[in-house]
Amino acid sequence: MSRELKIKAAEAAFEFVKDGMKLGIGTGSTADEFIRILGDNVAKGFSVIGVPTSERSAALCREVGVPLTTLDETPELDLTVDGADETDRALTLIKGGGGALLREKIVAAASADMVVIADDSKLVDTLGAFPLPIEVNPFGLGATRRAVEKCTQALGLSGEISLREADGKPYLTDGGHFILDASFGRIPDAEALSSALLEIPGVVQHGLFIGLASTVVLAGEGGITLLRR
Ligand code: 5RP
């Protein structure tokens, strides 16, 4: 996705932001463009306050002057704007390519509304070409991984389940957890997979976002398309 399309998606999402709103602020290269647009508008006198979904987004918000709060101080938000790795037409998402899925889901669930920004290549008929991130507790990794394999096989899903690494070590999320990336290829029943994964004690959260997004803003060469639920 070109930077130009990311900026276009972020600009279109900014139309949903009203003065005085309490925002959830996403993570990723598209969300970064949204944060920069927010910063430009705050500098012109626009008033918002935001809860960032990662340390990375928090740092960028500070750099561009977006005022921050926490879900402890501000437990209910008006709107979250975030990127996605895939969306289907029911606005079920795969998120977590950038490793922030847990905080992203907590923040989206605390928001009255969620607008997703992406380029149109992320719209798919069936989710799953993008590997599903599954955030797990480091304790008992081997057993959790085996349980994930068994429960997904029982649902007819197959494919490599690999531990995400960074610099030759397991990737650590902001919450101190690991991520398993599950390359299923196709996820025909996201609800069934979600319920099964959340039954496994070592699974902290997964990257399927079901019923959270109300609007997806897709930027393409032909312009902006809005998908709504
Ligand atoms: C981070 C995410 C991102 O929103 C997702 O990976 C999309 O990122 P990008 O805008 O860089 O393509 O879920 O955890």
Side-chain angles (χ1 to χ4, degrees), residues 27-30 82-85 95-101 104 122:
T27 295
S29 54
T30 320
D82 200 349
D85 300 300
K95 287 187 49 55
L101 62 131
E104 289 173 332
K122 292 184 174 178

Side-chain angles (χ1 to χ4, degrees), residues 134-137 144 148 197-206:
I134 303 168
E135 186 156 346
V136 299
N137 197 297
T144 300
V148 169
L197 288 173
L198 294 176
E199 287 289 313
I200 300 170
V203 169
V204 178
Q205 194 46 262
H206 58 70

Side-chain angles (χ1 to χ4, degrees), residues 108-133:
S111 300
D113 203 1
M114 180 187 192
V115 171
V116 172
I117 43 181
D119 77 299
D120 56 8
S121 72
K122 292 184 174 178
L123 175 63
V124 296
D125 289 328
T126 306
L127 296 170
F130 190 92
L132 177 69

